[in-house]
Amino acid sequence: MFLTQSKSSHLAYITRGSAVLFLQRCIMGAVVTHAVCFRHLLELLRRTAVHGESNSVLIVGPRGAGKTTLLNCALRELLEEKEVKRNLLQVYLNGLLQTDDKIALKEITRQLSLENVVGDKVFGSFAENLAFLLEALKKGDRSSSRPVLFVLDEFDLFAHHRNQTLLYNLLDVSQSAQTPVAVVGLTCRLDVLELLEKRVKSRFSHRQIHLLSGMTFPQYLQRVQTQLRLPDGFPDARFSHEWNGSVQTLCEDKSVEEVLQRHFNSSKDFRSLHMLLMLSVSRVSTANPAIRPADLLEASRMCSADPKANILHGLSILELCLIIAMKHLNDIYDGEPFNLQMVHNEFKKFLQRKSHSIYNFEQPVIMKAFEHLQQLELIRPVDASAAKTQREYQLMRLMLDQSQIMEALQKYPQCPTDVKQWAMSAFG
Amino acid sequence: MAALLQHPCYEEERLRRVADKLPCREVQAGTLLSVMGGPEQHSFPSIFIYGHRASGKSHVIHMLLRELELPHATVSCVECVSVALLFEQVLLSLFGCDAASLLPRSPSLSDFVRIYRQQCSHSPAVQTRYIVMEKAELLRDMDANLLPALLRLQELVQDNVTVILLSEIVWDKFRPNTGCFEPLQLHFPDYSKGELQQILAQDSHPSYSAELYSSYINILLGVFYSVCRDLRELRHLAALNFSKFCEPLEEGKVKESDTHKLWRNIEPHLKKAMQTVYLREVSRSFLLIAAYLASYNPARTDKRFFVKHHGKVRKTNFLKKHEKTSNHLLGPKPFPLDRLLAIFYSVVDSRVAPTASIFSQISSLVTLQLLAQVGHDDQIDAPKYKCAVSLDFIRAISRTVNFDIVKYLYDFL
C-alpha cells in the first residue's frame, strides 16, 4: 500500500511540471551542446560587467535553438559573482512588445527605475533622453557608471522601427567610452545584418554567435535519455532506479529509435523534441507507470498528423464531392481558378451518370457547402476585391493537393464506392 | 472499465462527473487534462485546439475549467473589435476590475504585459491561469505582434499561465512569416454517425419514449448526414421537426411501433426542411429584401402582396393620380420596424426558422450601411429604417436565394 501511495505521488512528480523539469534540463542541454558559444558569450558579458568595456553581440539561431536559454545560463553564472550582482543593471526589451522607440524608451526608463528622476522632462531627441538616463546611472563621485546590459529579444523587429533610432543610439553608446554598456540582440533571422541601415551597421561590432545545431543522431538519442531520466538527488532511490531503467529500455527499443529518427530528420531543435517527450510523459499514470514505446508512438502520431487531413475527415459527403469536382477542374484546366457554378456543373456531370441521384441537392444547399469550404480556408478567393461579384461567380483556388485529397478519401468513414471511383477516374 | 478521465491530482469522483457531461469526448478531455496537468504545475505555454464547428472544443475546455475550478479568462475574438477589449477582458477575469481599470486609453501590448506583471507580483499564481481564445483565427487580422506574443505569454510575463486557442482553421494558416513559438496542437475529431446518434438521442422528449426519439434521430441522420454533420445544426433540426414527426401519433393514426409509417410521414417533410437549414443562414438576405420592399412599396399595397388570399384590390382615383411617379425615382422611404418584420415573415413563410437573432441581424445590416436608421435616437421603441441599396444589388441578392423580387415590387406591376 505504501508503495502504491508513494508511487502515485512520484508519478505526480513526473507528470507534474514536466515543462519545468524539461526547462531545467534544456538549460543544461543547451550549455553542453553549445559549450563554445556559452564560453564566448560569458566572456563578453564579463568584460562589460566587471571590466567596464562596452560591447555588442548578436545571438542568431532558428526558433527553438536555445538562444534565450543560452543567454539566461550565461547570466546566471555571471551573477554568481557578488560584484556583478551588485552593480550590473539589466534592461529587457522585446520586439513584440516594444513596437516603437517611444514605448521602448519608456520601458528602459521604467526598468532602470529612473521614472522619478526623469519626471516630466521633455527631451529634444531620443539621443538626449538616452544620454540623460545613462548620466543618471553614474555613481555619486562621477568616477564610474554602473554597467548596463541591454537585451533585445526579437532584434530584427527593432530594425523595422522608424529610422532605427533605438538601435542607432544604443549601438552608438556601445561604441563610445562613456558608459559600460553591453547590447545583446537575439534573433531568428540569419540575414539580420541586411536589415540594418548603414550607419547602424557601422556601429555594430559585427560579433555574431550562431547557434546552428550540428547535433548527430546518437547525440540526439543521448539527449532523449538525459531529458527523461530522474535526477540523482531524487528522494526515492528505488523508484528512481526503476524509472531510469525503464527509460533505458525505452531508448533501446527499435520502434522508438525509428520514431526518433523520423523526428530528427525533420527537425533537430530542442523545442520540438521537448513537445514530443512531454506528450509521451503526459500519458504516464498509476495504471501505466512507465513510458512504453506505444506512448512515444502515439505522441509522435499526434505531433506529425497532417491537420488538413484531419479536417477533411470531418467534411460532409457533399462537401467531399465538391472537392473532388474541384480536383477534376484543376486537372482539366491546369489549376485555373474556378467558381461555384463551374464546380456545381462538374458535380452534375457525376450525378447524371448515377441511376438514382441521392445527391441531387438544390442550389442553396450546394452554396452552403461551398461557403463552408471557404470558411475552413480549404478554398480561397483569387483576389480580395472579389467581394463585389456575386458569390457563385467569385473565382477561387483549391488549397489542397492531389495526394491530400486521395489520402483523405482512403480514410473517410464509409465513403461510397462510386464517389471514390469518380475521384480516381481522370477527367470526371 | 477504467475511467478514461484520470489524473493523480484530481479526485476520481470529480473527474467521473466531468466525464459524464462530455459524452463521446472522453478521449480528448483525457488528453487535454494530461497536457494541462495538475493545478500548481506549469503547463505548455500555448495550446492550439482545432476541429470542426460544434466538435466540442469550447464545451470540453470550459467544462474542465469550470468543474475543476481553475482560474481562467475567456475571450471571444469575434467580440473584440479592438485589442483594448481583449486586454480588458483578460485582466478583468484574472485579476478583477481594479487591474482592468489600470489600462490606459489605447493600451499597447507593452502596457498589457506590464500591468499583468505588476498584478502577478501582488498575487502570484498558485494555480495555472488559463486564457481561452475562441475563434482564434481572427487574431491573425489584428496587430501582427499580438499572436506571437500570446503564444509565448508565459515567458513574457513570467507567470504560470497557459493560452489556449480554439479554431476551425488549421495551424499552418496561422504561422507568421518568421516563425513563432509553436503551440501544442490538439485535434478534436468530428463526431461519427454513431456518436451523433448517441448524443442527439439524449435530448429525448418527456412525453415520448426514448426508443421513439432514438428512431426519430436515426431517420433524421439518414436524411441530413450527407450534407450536415454539425451537432448544433442537427440539434436545431431535430427540435424543429419533432412535432411534425409526432403528428400521426397525436392524431392516433399510428402507434409508436409503426416506425415505417412514421418514416413515410416525416421523410418528405425533412427533405423539404433541408432547404430550411441553409436558408436559415441567409435570413439576412431576406431581411434586406423585406427592407427594400418596405422602402419602395407604398404601405397601402402591403396587403396586396403579402397577405394570402387578399382578394381584389380596387384601384381608387387616388392611386391613378400617383401612378406615374415611380417610387424608385423618389428614393427609399422610411418604414417602422414592425412593418419590416411583417413583410419579412410573409416573404419568408416557412422557409426560415424563427430565431431571436433577427434584431442582431438588423443591427448588423445597419453597421454594414445596407440599412440606414432614421429618426431621433430617443425613439427607442419605434425605430425607423430605410433601405440603402440599389435595385441591381437587391436583384443580385434575390437571385442567390431564389426569390423573384420584381414580382413583389409595386413599380413593376
Side-chain angles (χ1 to χ4, degrees):
Chain A
M1 280 305 108
F2 175 74
L3 217 60
T4 357
Q5 237 181 8
S6 62
K7 205 175 192 182
S8 67
S9 72
H10 293 327
L11 289 167
Y13 171 81
I14 289 176
T15 55
R16 168 171 82 88
S18 13
V20 176
L21 251 172
F22 282 143
L23 194 64
Q24 292 166 350
R25 310 298 185 76
C26 268
I27 289 177
M28 296 182 331
V31 173
V32 166
T33 316
H34 302 294
V36 174
C37 302
F38 176 75
R39 290 276 137 228
H40 185 180
L41 183 62
L42 184 59
E43 192 49 45
L44 220 80
L45 293 174
R46 184 174 279 124
R47 276 198 253 150
T48 305
V50 177
H51 305 294
E53 267 182 42
S54 283
N55 270 312
S56 54
V57 64
L58 275 178
I59 306 178
V60 181
R63 300 258 176 210
K67 305 181 287 294
T68 318
T69 337
L70 189 78
L71 179 63
N72 289 341
C73 281
L75 275 175
R76 223 179 29 189
E77 184 153 326
L78 189 68
L79 288 169
E80 278 171 7
E81 295 180 40
K82 271 214 279 275
E83 257 311 298
V84 176
K85 200 170 163 81
R86 206 152 37 110
N87 284 332
L88 182 69
L89 292 165
Q90 296 171 52
V91 175
Y92 282 93
L93 299 177
N94 191 312
L96 290 174
L97 301 178
Q98 280 80 49
T99 44
D100 71 55
D101 294 335
K102 227 167 77 178
I103 300 178
L105 202 49
K106 269 217 204 90
E107 193 58 29
I108 295 174
T109 315
R110 201 173 283 128
Q111 290 192 26
L112 291 175
S113 313
L114 291 174
E115 279 153 301
N116 293 332
V117 177
V118 168
D120 290 325
K121 279 200 186 50
V122 172
F123 298 97
S125 70
F126 189 103
E128 247 183 69
N129 196 338
L130 187 62
F132 180 82
L133 291 175
L134 294 176
E135 187 64 30
L137 295 175
K138 283 209 156 72
K139 291 191 183 147
D141 57 359
R142 303 326 229 151
S143 61
S144 60
S145 175
R146 293 174 69 179
V148 188
L149 166 66
F150 287 96
V151 177
L152 272 66
D153 209 338
E154 311 281 350
F155 183 86
D156 49 289
L157 294 180
F158 287 102
H160 296 307
H161 293 187
R162 208 162 65 94
N163 294 337
Q164 300 184 350
T165 319
L166 174 72
L167 292 182
Y168 174 75
N169 282 292
L170 277 182
L171 291 174
D172 195 42
V173 170
S174 78
Q175 292 245 305
S176 67
Q178 296 294 326
T179 331
V181 146
V183 180
V184 179
L186 295 105
T187 178
C188 62
R189 289 188 64 160
L190 291 174
D191 64 341
V192 61
L193 284 185
E194 311 292 317
L195 300 170
L196 298 179
E197 279 179 26
K198 208 171 92 173
R199 59 181 191 146
V200 179
K201 208 194 298 199
S202 63
R203 281 162 175 77
F204 174 56
S205 68
H206 282 74
R207 223 178 264 111
Q208 291 187 58
I209 297 177
H210 287 269
L211 294 185
L212 300 169
S213 173
M215 198 161 42
T216 61
F217 186 59
Q219 287 175 329
Y220 192 77
L221 279 179
Q222 192 54 42
R223 273 307 298 284
V224 172
Q225 280 237 29
T226 15
Q227 293 278 69
L228 292 176
R229 291 169 67 88
L230 280 170
D232 291 329
F234 195 72
D236 188 338
R238 184 171 156 180
F239 181 81
S240 163
H241 183 75
E242 256 178 53
W243 174 264
N244 290 342
S246 74
V247 168
Q248 179 90 18
T249 331
L250 179 77
C251 293
E252 287 165 358
D253 185 293
K254 266 290 152 216
S255 61
V256 166
E257 206 180 296
E258 265 173 40
V259 165
L260 290 172
Q261 179 77 61
R262 254 206 314 273
H263 273 263
F264 178 74
N265 289 342
S266 70
S267 166
K268 289 187 200 174
D269 69 284
F270 298 140
R271 227 177 247 162
S272 50
L273 176 62
H274 170 183
M275 179 139 25
L276 175 68
L277 295 179
M278 211 191 91
L279 279 173
S280 323
V281 168
S282 68
R283 295 170 69 87
V284 163
S285 66
T286 353
N288 175 25
I291 311 180
R292 302 163 303 173
D295 294 327
L296 204 76
L297 257 76
E298 179 61 29
S300 170
R301 196 194 58 82
M302 271 177 70
C303 281
S304 38
D306 177 13
K308 274 191 184 153
N310 285 334
I311 292 292
L312 286 173
H313 189 272
L315 293 180
S316 68
I317 190 72
L318 172 64
E319 288 156 356
L320 200 64
C321 285
L322 289 183
I323 291 201
I324 297 171
M326 290 172 202
K327 168 189 168 302
H328 281 307
L329 284 176
N330 274 345
D331 288 339
I332 299 171
Y333 299 110
D334 271 329
E336 282 288 308
F338 48 77
N339 62 29
L340 172 63
Q341 285 299 106
M342 296 178 198
V343 177
H344 196 181
N345 227 41
E346 192 63 31
F347 182 43
K348 282 202 213 149
K349 285 195 217 161
F350 163 63
L351 293 177
Q352 274 160 13
R353 291 204 299 271
K354 290 159 62 63
S355 48
H356 59 283
S357 42
I358 52 169
Y359 300 141
N360 202 355
F361 298 113
E362 303 268 307
Q363 174 84 339
V365 181
I366 306 275
M367 183 85 215
K368 178 65 193 287
F370 198 70
E371 270 173 20
H372 187 214
L373 293 176
Q374 192 179 348
Q375 272 162 11
L376 292 171
E377 298 188 8
L378 293 173
I379 56 176
R380 271 197 128 143
V382 169
D383 52 66
S385 65
K388 298 229 180 80
T389 22
Q390 252 179 285
R391 267 181 309 182
E392 58 255 32
Y393 299 112
Q394 273 176 29
L395 288 175
M396 307 270 188
R397 277 223 156 83
L398 183 62
M399 308 304 288
L400 297 166
D401 64 62
Q402 186 103 339
S403 56
Q404 278 173 315
I405 302 173
M406 297 320 281
E407 210 181 294
L409 279 168
Q410 294 307 315
K411 297 207 186 109
Y412 194 80
Q414 296 154 350
C415 183
T417 10
D418 46 10
V419 171
K420 267 197 204 157
Q421 279 171 351
W422 176 40
M424 294 199 260
S425 69
F427 305 120
Chain B
M1 194 183 79
L4 277 162
L5 218 54
Q6 269 186 19
H7 202 277
C9 297
Y10 299 104
E11 311 137 18
E12 249 186 72
E13 186 48 47
R14 215 174 185 190
L15 291 178
R16 207 201 314 268
R17 268 206 310 274
V18 176
D20 285 338
K21 298 189 185 171
L22 303 171
C24 305
R25 292 280 88 145
E26 296 92 348
V27 173
Q28 287 71 39
T31 315
L32 191 54
L33 191 60
S34 62
V35 165
M36 283 162 61
E40 335 76 48
Q41 305 167 12
H42 269 70
S43 177
F44 215 71
S46 43
I47 302 175
F48 181 74
I49 304 180
Y50 70 104
H52 282 276
R53 266 176 301 179
S55 53
K57 307 182 290 292
S58 184
H59 181 66
V60 169
I61 186 68
H62 283 113
M63 192 60 69
L64 281 173
L65 291 173
R66 260 202 321 265
E67 295 292 317
L68 301 175
E69 293 172 3
L70 299 167
H72 65 280
T74 306
V75 176
S76 172
C77 297
V78 177
E79 294 166 3
C80 289
V81 173
S82 71
V83 276
L85 288 168
L86 200 151
F87 297 150
E88 215 179 283
Q89 182 66 28
V90 172
L91 288 175
L92 184 68
S93 307
L94 295 181
F95 300 108
C97 42
D98 296 330
S101 60
L102 289 172
L103 279 170
R105 270 283 295 271
S106 316
S108 65
L109 191 53
S110 187
D111 292 321
F112 170 68
V113 168
R114 180 176 44 91
I115 296 174
Y116 192 113
R117 283 182 88 137
Q118 275 172 8
Q119 294 298 315
C120 269
S121 53
H122 296 163
S123 50
V126 171
Q127 296 182 342
T128 315
R129 297 187 172 116
Y130 293 95
I131 302 177
V132 181
M133 317 213 80
E134 297 183 340
K135 289 259 182 265
E137 61 267 19
L138 296 169
L139 287 172
R140 300 175 299 176
D141 304 327
M142 299 186 186
D143 298 331
N145 60 337
L146 185 61
L147 181 62
L150 284 172
L151 291 168
R152 42 167 84 229
L153 194 66
Q154 193 183 87
E155 183 191 318
L156 292 173
V157 300
Q158 303 276 299
D159 183 40
N160 186 1
V161 63
T162 293
V163 176
I164 301 183
L165 304 172
L166 308 179
S167 178
E168 56 171 355
I169 312 278
V170 296
W171 179 249
D172 295 329
K173 303 202 187 259
F174 279 74
R175 202 178 279 120
N177 285 343
T178 48
C180 59
F181 186 96
E182 294 283 316
L184 189 98
Q185 289 184 48
L186 285 181
H187 173 59
F188 266 50
D190 40 288
Y191 292 111
S192 68
K193 198 169 182 184
E195 288 171 338
L196 286 172
Q197 170 84 33
Q198 191 186 331
I199 298 173
L200 289 169
Q202 283 181 356
D203 302 335
S204 54
H205 204 269
S207 340
Y208 297 97
S209 68
E211 294 89 55
L212 178 76
Y213 198 77
S214 186
S215 57
Y216 166 62
I217 293 295
N218 202 1
I219 297 170
L220 187 90
L221 283 176
V223 173
F224 283 100
Y225 190 69
S226 52
V227 290
C228 177
R229 297 172 64 180
D230 183 323
L231 179 61
R232 267 199 288 264
E233 295 245 8
L234 289 169
R235 213 177 227 140
H236 175 83
L237 283 165
L240 208 64
N241 295 292
F242 189 56
S243 47
K244 184 83 173 110
F245 178 75
C246 295
E247 244 175 43
L249 282 168
E250 297 271 314
E251 292 165 3
K253 289 191 194 151
V254 293
K255 293 197 296 288
E256 276 198 15
S257 47
D258 284 333
T259 34
H260 187 69
K261 287 211 181 110
L262 287 167
W263 177 80
R264 266 227 310 264
N265 173 57
I266 194 70
E267 210 225 0
H269 180 83
L270 285 178
K271 284 237 156 80
K272 205 182 89 161
M274 196 180 294
Q275 316 303 336
T276 311
V277 172
Y278 302 105
L279 291 181
R280 172 166 82 109
E281 306 275 316
V282 306
S283 65
R284 210 165 72 164
S285 300
F286 276 113
L287 210 52
L288 192 60
I289 290 170
Y292 191 86
L293 292 169
S295 274
Y296 287 100
N297 278 353
R300 62 186 186 286
T301 59
D302 282 352
K303 209 167 149 198
R304 184 200 196 284
F305 288 116
F306 307 115
V307 174
K308 298 195 220 316
H309 317 299
H310 56 85
K312 279 204 286 213
V313 169
R314 272 176 294 190
K315 270 193 180 167
T316 62
N317 284 329
F318 180 75
L319 269 172
K320 274 200 198 143
K321 217 189 339 186
H322 294 268
E323 248 173 79
K324 292 270 166 63
T325 322
S326 161
N327 283 307
H328 279 81
L329 291 176
L330 295 171
K333 304 238 177 29
F335 52 84
L337 183 63
D338 26 33
R339 186 169 166 226
L340 170 66
L341 291 177
I343 296 179
F344 174 70
Y345 284 116
S346 154
V347 153
V348 140
D349 204 10
S350 60
R351 282 189 276 186
V352 166
T355 71
S357 64
I358 293 286
F359 295 100
S360 65
Q361 286 176 352
I362 293 176
S363 30
S364 73
L365 286 174
V366 172
T367 320
L368 291 171
Q369 296 181 328
L370 298 169
L371 278 190
Q373 194 160 358
V374 289
H376 302 295
D377 284 313
D378 53 11
Q379 285 180 337
I380 309 170
D381 38 12
K384 285 197 178 201
Y385 299 90
K386 241 183 356 187
C387 186
V389 301
S390 68
L391 179 62
D392 289 323
F393 188 90
I394 205 69
R395 275 170 116 161
I397 296 272
S398 321
R399 264 202 295 274
T400 66
V401 294
N402 285 333
F403 180 78
D404 187 2
I405 190 167
V406 176
K407 238 179 23 195
Y408 289 80
L409 283 169
Y410 180 66
D411 288 331
F412 292 91
L413 270 181

